[in-house]
C-alpha cells in the first residue's frame, strides 16, 4: 500500500515535471506569442499608417513643387514669338538703346495716341526751364479741380505747398492738382504754360506731339512712341526729374496731417531694376502707358509702352523686355565672339 502510494507520488512528480509543465509553458508561450504578434501587428500597422500619411504628405509636396516649377520656368524665361521677339501686350511701343540710338523693338512707333500723364514730364521740363523759385509756395485753388474727368485728389482746396513739392508729387504720384497748379502759377497763366510746352516739344524734335493742358487729363495731349523716346531722353538730362520720378514714396505735411504718397510705378521699388527716370499715365482714351529710362545689361535703355489694356500689363511688358534683353545677352556671351558655342 505504501509502495503503491510511493509509485503514484513518483508518477505525479513526473507528470508535473514533464507533462503539466509543458502544456502550461506552451499555453503561456502561446499567449505570449499571441500578444507579441498582436503587439507587432499593431505597431506595424501604426508604422504603416504613419508612412502612408507621410507618403501622402510627401506626394502633396512633390505635386506642389511640380505645379510651381512650370510657372517659375515661365517667369524666368521670356515669352517670345516665332522670331524670338518678346510678346508684348501694349498696342504701341518702342525700345531703344539711349547711347547708340539703336531701336531694339518697335510696333506702331509712329502712331499718334493720347499720352495721359506722360504729359507731366514736359510739364516738369517747362517748370524747370522757367526758372521760378522752387521754394515759393503755391496754393491749390478751384481752378485746379478736375472738371473734365472728375478725378479726386488728396490736395484739398487751400493746400499750400512749395513749387518743388508740387513738382515732386506730379512726377512721383501723378498728382493732377499739383500739375495744374504748376501750370497755372507760370508767368502768363496756363495758356502761356501750354504754349511753352508746345514750343519745348518743337525744340527737342517732337513732330507728333501736341499739348493742351499740364496734367494729361485732356485726351488732346498726344504723341507717338518715337516722340516719347526723344522726350524721355531730354527729360533724363534734368537731375530733379530723374530724382523725383523714381522716388518710391514721400511723406508730405498737408495741413495738420502728414500724408504718404507713393510712386505710381511699382518697378521703382524692385531691387531687380535700376531705373533712371519713370512716368506712368492713364485715362480711358490712352489706356495704360509707361515710359522709363532704365539700365539693362549696363546700357541705358528707353522703354515706351502705350495703350496697355490690363492694370498690370504695362509693368509686365517692361519685365518681359528686360528678361528678353538679358536672355539675348546671355546667349551672345555663351555663343562667343565668333558665334560659336
Amino acid at each position: 500500500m505504501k509502495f503503491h502510494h510511493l509509485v503514484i507520488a513518483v508518477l505525479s512528480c513526473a507528470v508535473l515535471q514533464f507533462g503539466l509543465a509543458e502544456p502550461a509553458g506552451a499555453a503561456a508561450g502561446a499567449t505570449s506569442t499571441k500578444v507579441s504578434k498582436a503587439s507587432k501587428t499593431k505597431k506595424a500597422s501604426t508604422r504603416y499608417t504613419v508612412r502612408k500619411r507621410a507618403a501622402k504628405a510627401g506626394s502633396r509636396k512633390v505635386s506642389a513643387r511640380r505645379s510651381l516649377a512650370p510657372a517659375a520656368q515661365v517667369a524666368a524665361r521670356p515669352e517670345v514669338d516665332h522670331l524670338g521677339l518678346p510678346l508684348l501686350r501694349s498696342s504701341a511701343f518702342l525700345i531703344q538703346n539711349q547711347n547708340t540710338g539703336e531701336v531694339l523693338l518697335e510696333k506702331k512707333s509712329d502712331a499718334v495716341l493720347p499720352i495721359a500723364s506722360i504729359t507731366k514730364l514736359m510739364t516738369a521740363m517747362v517748370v524747370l526751364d522757367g526758372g521760378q523759385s522752387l521754394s515759393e509756395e503755391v496754393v491749390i485753388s478751384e481752378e485746379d479741380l478736375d472738371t473734365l474727368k472728375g478725378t479726386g485728389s488728396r490736395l484739398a482746396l487751400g493746400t499750400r505747398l512749395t513749387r518743388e513739392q508740387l513738382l515732386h508729387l506730379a512726377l512721383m504720384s501723378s498728382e493732377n492738382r499739383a500739375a495744374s497748379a504748376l501750370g497755372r502759377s507760370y508767368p502768363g497763366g496756363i495758356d502761356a504754360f501750354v504754349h511753352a510746352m508746345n514750343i519745348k516739344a518743337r525744340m527737342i524734335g517732337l513732330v507728333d506731339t501736341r499739348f493742351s493742358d499740364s496734367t494729361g487729363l485732356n485726351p488732346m495731349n498726344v504723341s507717338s512712341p518715337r516722340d516719347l523716346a526723344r522726350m524721355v531722353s531730354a527729360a533724363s538730362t534734368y537731375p530733379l526729374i530723374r530724382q523725383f520720378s523714381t522716388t518710391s514714396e514721400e511723406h508730405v505735411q498737408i495741413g495738420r496731417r502728414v500724408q504718404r504718397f507713393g510712386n505710381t510705378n511699382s518697378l521703382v521699388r524692385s531691387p531687380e531694376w535700376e531705373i533712371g527716370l519713370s512716368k506712368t499715365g492713364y485715362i480711358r482714351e490712352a489706356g495704360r502707358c509707361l515710359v522709363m529710362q532704365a539700365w539693362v545689361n549696363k546700357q541705358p535703355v528707353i522703354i515706351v509702352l502705350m495703350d496697355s489694356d490690363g492694370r498690370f500689363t504695362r509693368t509686365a511688358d517692361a519685365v518681359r523686355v528686360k528678361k528678353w534683353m538679358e536672355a539675348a545677352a546671355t546667349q551672345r556671351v555663351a555663343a562667343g565672339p565668333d558665334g560659336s558655342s
Side-chain angles (χ1 to χ4, degrees):
M1 201 53 193
K2 289 181 180 179
F3 176 77
H4 178 70
H5 287 291
L6 181 60
V7 171
I8 291 174
V10 171
L11 289 174
S12 296
C13 289
V15 170
L16 286 172
Q17 184 176 358
F18 299 105
L20 293 178
E22 181 62 28
T31 304
S32 174
T33 303
K34 285 176 184 175
V35 171
S36 174
K37 283 181 179 178
S39 175
K40 285 181 181 178
T41 303
K42 189 173 184 180
K43 285 180 182 176
S45 175
T46 303
R47 284 196 296 270
Y48 172 75
T49 303
V50 171
R51 287 196 193 101
K52 193 172 184 181
R53 286 176 183 167
K56 285 183 178 178
S59 67
R60 287 193 202 103
K61 288 179 182 177
V62 171
S63 176
R65 289 193 200 101
R66 286 176 179 171
S67 64
L68 289 174
Q73 291 170 4
V74 168
R77 186 176 62 246
E79 300 174 73
V80 296
D81 61 15
H82 66 287
L83 297 175
L85 302 177
L87 295 170
L88 305 185
R89 273 64 169 178
S90 301
S91 66
F93 53 81
L94 185 137
I95 317 300
Q96 184 178 42
N97 184 309
Q98 187 178 10
N99 277 346
T100 65
E102 178 189 2
V103 175
L104 307 176
L105 287 170
E106 64 178 327
K107 177 183 178 182
K108 298 181 181 178
S109 58
D110 294 321
V112 179
L113 303 167
I115 61 173
S117 286
I118 307 300
T119 295
K120 294 181 176 74
L121 287 179
M122 181 60 76
T123 297
M125 285 192 281
V126 171
V127 167
L128 294 173
D129 288 348
Q132 294 174 276
S133 172
L134 293 180
S135 60
E136 179 186 354
E137 285 192 338
V138 180
V139 182
I140 300 297
S141 74
E142 289 188 3
E143 295 177 69
D144 303 317
L145 300 181
D146 173 19
T147 57
L148 187 62
K149 298 290 185 181
T151 58
S153 170
R154 286 184 286 164
L155 303 183
L157 294 179
T159 298
R160 303 178 70 89
L161 294 174
T162 66
R163 186 170 280 107
E164 181 175 337
Q165 288 175 312
L166 292 173
L167 186 62
H168 199 161
L169 294 180
L171 289 171
M172 178 185 69
S173 296
S174 210
E175 248 296 340
N176 291 315
R177 289 184 188 176
S180 174
L182 288 170
R184 177 178 51 79
S185 62
Y186 187 79
I190 189 64
D191 289 340
F193 189 82
V194 171
H195 182 63
M197 292 174 74
N198 285 306
I199 290 177
K200 178 72 172 181
R202 302 289 86 74
M203 288 175 62
I204 61 177
L206 309 187
V207 296
D208 300 320
T209 306
R210 302 287 184 277
F211 295 103
S212 296
D213 73 359
S214 60
T215 65
L217 290 168
N218 192 325
M220 296 298 291
N221 289 13
V222 297
S223 188
S224 64
R226 194 173 296 278
D227 265 14
L228 287 185
R230 295 190 186 102
M231 191 164 83
V232 169
S233 185
S236 69
T237 64
Y238 293 74
L240 270 184
I241 295 179
R242 294 198 306 269
Q243 177 188 338
F244 288 169
S245 70
T246 57
T247 305
S248 61
E249 63 177 14
E250 187 73 12
H251 292 80
V252 182
Q253 181 82 37
I254 299 179
R256 297 181 179 179
R257 298 178 57 191
V258 175
Q259 297 196 39
R260 176 195 172 277
F261 291 82
N263 200 304
T264 53
N265 180 8
S266 61
L267 296 179
V268 302
R269 294 183 283 276
S270 171
E272 297 181 3
W273 282 85
E274 185 181 353
I275 299 174
L277 180 145
S278 165
K279 190 69 200 78
T280 63
Y282 172 75
I283 55 173
R284 181 180 55 81
E285 294 88 347
R288 298 188 185 275
C289 306
L290 172 64
V291 298
M292 292 196 301
Q293 186 261 9
W295 291 81
V296 183
N297 299 330
K298 299 181 180 180
Q299 290 289 317
V301 177
I302 294 176
I303 300 174
V304 177
L305 304 166
M306 300 183 71
D307 190 21
S308 299
D309 285 333
R311 182 180 177 185
F312 303 107
T313 302
R314 58 190 176 188
T315 52
D317 273 357
V319 171
R320 291 183 185 101
V321 168
K322 182 173 180 288
K323 288 186 179 297
W324 172 74
M325 291 183 64
E326 290 171 342
T330 301
Q331 289 172 1
R332 284 196 296 270
V333 171
D338 59 353
S340 59
S341 56

